[in-house]
Amino acid sequence: MGRLYKNWTNWQADFEFYLYRYAFFGHFILLLIFRLPIPARQRQPENAILALPTFHYTSKTMTTLAQFLRDHTAQHAIPHDLIATVSSIIQACTQISTRVRLGALSSGVLGEAGTGNIQGETQKNLDVLANQLLIAALQATPSVAGLASEEEDTFIACNENGSHLVLFDPLDGSSNIDVNISIGTIFSILPKPQGSLKTESFLQQGNAQIAAGYVLYGVQTLLMLTFKHGVYGFTLNEHNEFILTHTPQIPEQTAEFAINASNQRHWEAPTQHYIAELLAGKEGARGKNYNMRWVASMVAEVHRILMRGGVFLYPKDNRNPSKAGKLRLMYEANPMSLLVAQAGGAASNAHQDILSIQPNDLHQRVAVILGSKEEVARVNQLHAA
């Protein structure tokens, strides 16, 4: 092709000849290359698209829950039997997390169980399963004298020589199970009083709790835990091992609130006034704009507050004036209030600190306002006026 062309036709003919000739040999060479066996050291697995790199957590990279518990025990003189009780709860929650993660892939996880609990609520399959897993784990733990569950009519005796009482909501937010929204397990640990085990043994103020926490089954499985020396958060890794990842602190001020606005027509006047202030925004008395959130899962709501602040309200309303509120004091309000207080926030029933309420029933209900101190104080102020 080194000659000069006097017209377009001759140039085009030569170009097409060389193009097809080299294209033929190029195609032949490519076929040979791709039909050759790949050396063993370069061969990829058939599921190579799934063979994603993983990061293996070790004591040299991050603190495991086991390491944290050892260090925390030494630093704060925490009894070893309390660590055993907490570890038993967490082990059961890890099993629950596995079932939640599989969802419809695991038989008997989704859907309704066809039964109801003492609260008059329809139970989901996972409600029943989570309750059974926790009961079995705690009954097998020598340090647990007795337990009480939101799903059970009365308490269950465990080990006569145990030193702890455990109260729990096995699956908070269970209405969200089938739609894959965050749910969780809430737990509270109390010291067992002297004497035989009875209902009154459990009826202790929230301030008497010696540990509390929750496990959130969401985008990640997260454990939030307190021994009354601050709050510590852990993330479950691919080896079913919890790794220390958070030490939350709730800011005193916030511009975010969570309440079920569909109940507005039933709220008492002070609650109506408070929410109206927030909705008035920058032009109103509070002088700033607020955002509203609502997940219908207390675990998810409280977790968001621990991570970035906010205020959560489930107030008393006028649908049933004889009821002090919707949420359970022993299974939900007390453990969550302890976590919030230990992270620098506050919790109230709009009249007094939740942790100072003297319970009179295992399934007692209570109004709950918790989160950033400034907002909780404002709600209390409006109810006191």
Side-chain angles (χ1 to χ4, degrees):
M1 293 185 64
R3 55 188 174 139
L4 296 174
Y5 295 96
K6 294 183 178 180
N7 60 65
W8 164 255
T9 302
N10 291 337
W11 183 91
Q12 184 182 25
D14 279 358
F15 175 78
E16 290 176 354
F17 171 77
Y18 286 110
L19 176 65
Y20 288 123
R21 183 171 71 177
Y22 289 119
F24 172 78
F25 285 112
H27 180 68
F28 178 73
I29 292 169
L30 287 173
L31 283 174
L32 286 176
I33 290 173
F34 283 102
R35 289 178 67 87
L36 288 174
I38 300 174
R41 63 184 178 86
Q42 297 178 354
R43 189 180 295 277
Q44 298 295 315
E46 293 182 4
N47 63 339
I49 193 169
L50 299 177
L52 300 176
T54 57
F55 183 82
H56 296 285
Y57 301 88
T58 69
S59 59
K60 294 181 180 179
T61 57
M62 300 187 84
T63 302
T64 65
L65 176 62
Q67 292 167 334
F68 168 83
L69 292 175
R70 284 196 298 269
D71 295 344
H72 210 62
T73 297
Q75 184 178 358
H76 299 285
I78 297 172
H80 290 285
D81 60 350
L82 178 55
I83 299 301
T85 298
V86 169
S87 298
S88 178
I89 296 169
I90 294 170
Q91 183 179 13
C93 290
T94 303
Q95 296 177 48
I96 296 169
S97 175
T98 300
R99 304 299 181 91
V100 171
R101 179 176 58 83
L102 290 174
L105 300 177
S106 180
S107 176
V109 170
L110 301 185
E112 294 186 357
T115 55
N117 61 17
I118 190 174
Q119 320 294 338
E121 300 163 336
T122 300
Q123 291 178 307
K124 299 283 190 176
N125 284 328
L126 201 54
D127 279 320
V128 176
L129 177 61
N131 192 50
Q132 292 171 343
L133 287 171
L134 283 159
I135 290 174
L138 293 169
Q139 286 180 324
T141 305
S143 55
V144 178
L147 64 87
S149 167
E150 184 183 302
E151 301 296 328
E152 300 292 331
D153 293 359
T154 187
F155 72 87
I156 297 174
C158 295
N159 300 286
E160 185 177 354
N161 296 321
S163 52
H164 302 133
L165 305 176
V166 180
L167 302 98
F168 57 86
D169 179 351
L171 212 64
D172 175 71
S174 57
S175 63
N176 290 324
I177 292 170
D178 293 350
V179 293
N180 200 25
I181 295 176
S182 296
I183 53 180
T185 298
I186 309 171
F187 60 90
S188 166
I189 303 175
L190 293 165
K192 179 192 173 294
Q194 294 293 322
S196 60
L197 190 64
K198 50 191 176 182
T199 299
E200 288 73 22
S201 305
F202 292 84
L203 302 182
Q204 303 178 45
Q205 293 184 8
N207 283 321
Q209 294 174 101
I210 51 179
Y214 64 78
V215 175
L216 173 69
Y217 314 112
V219 178
Q220 302 94 34
T221 295
L222 299 168
L223 163 68
M224 286 290 166
L225 178 64
T226 183
F227 291 97
K228 303 176 82 168
H229 307 291
V231 178
Y232 297 87
F234 304 81
T235 302
L236 192 67
N237 70 10
E238 70 273 26
H239 308 298
N240 268 355
E241 185 178 38
F242 277 104
I243 306 297
L244 179 63
T245 49
H246 301 87
T247 51
Q249 280 291 314
I250 300 173
E252 289 195 16
Q253 298 179 326
T254 187
E256 197 165 72
F257 69 100
I259 193 169
N260 185 353
S262 67
N263 295 327
Q264 180 178 2
R265 66 192 183 280
H266 304 296
W267 295 339
E268 295 179 318
T271 304
Q272 297 273 8
H273 185 119
Y274 174 69
I275 297 301
E277 282 186 351
L278 305 189
L279 295 177
K282 194 173 182 179
E283 294 74 27
R286 302 302 297 275
K288 62 180 177 180
N289 295 322
Y290 285 78
N291 289 321
M292 188 179 81
R293 301 285 184 265
W294 187 251
V295 183
S297 168
M298 189 182 188
V299 171
E301 307 286 3
V302 172
H303 187 72
R304 183 181 61 249
I305 289 170
L306 285 174
M307 292 297 98
R308 69 187 193 200
V311 62
F312 166 85
L313 303 94
Y314 214 122
K316 179 181 178 181
D317 61 40
N318 295 317
R319 283 175 293 180
N320 190 341
S322 64
K323 286 187 177 180
K326 166 74 173 176
L327 299 176
R328 267 64 59 159
L329 174 63
M330 306 298 291
Y331 311 110
E332 298 165 319
N334 272 344
M336 290 306 205
S337 296
L338 183 61
L339 285 164
V340 166
Q342 286 292 313
S348 162
N349 68 349
H351 300 282
Q352 70 180 105
D353 186 334
I354 283 178
L355 296 174
S356 69
I357 296 174
Q358 177 59 50
N360 53 46
D361 185 81
L362 271 178
H363 298 283
Q364 181 174 337
R365 295 176 185 263
V366 66
V368 176
I369 298 94
L370 59 74
S372 296
K373 284 184 174 180
E374 183 179 90
E375 298 304 321
V376 176
R378 178 57 179 158
V379 175
N380 291 344
Q381 180 185 34
L382 289 170
H383 279 81

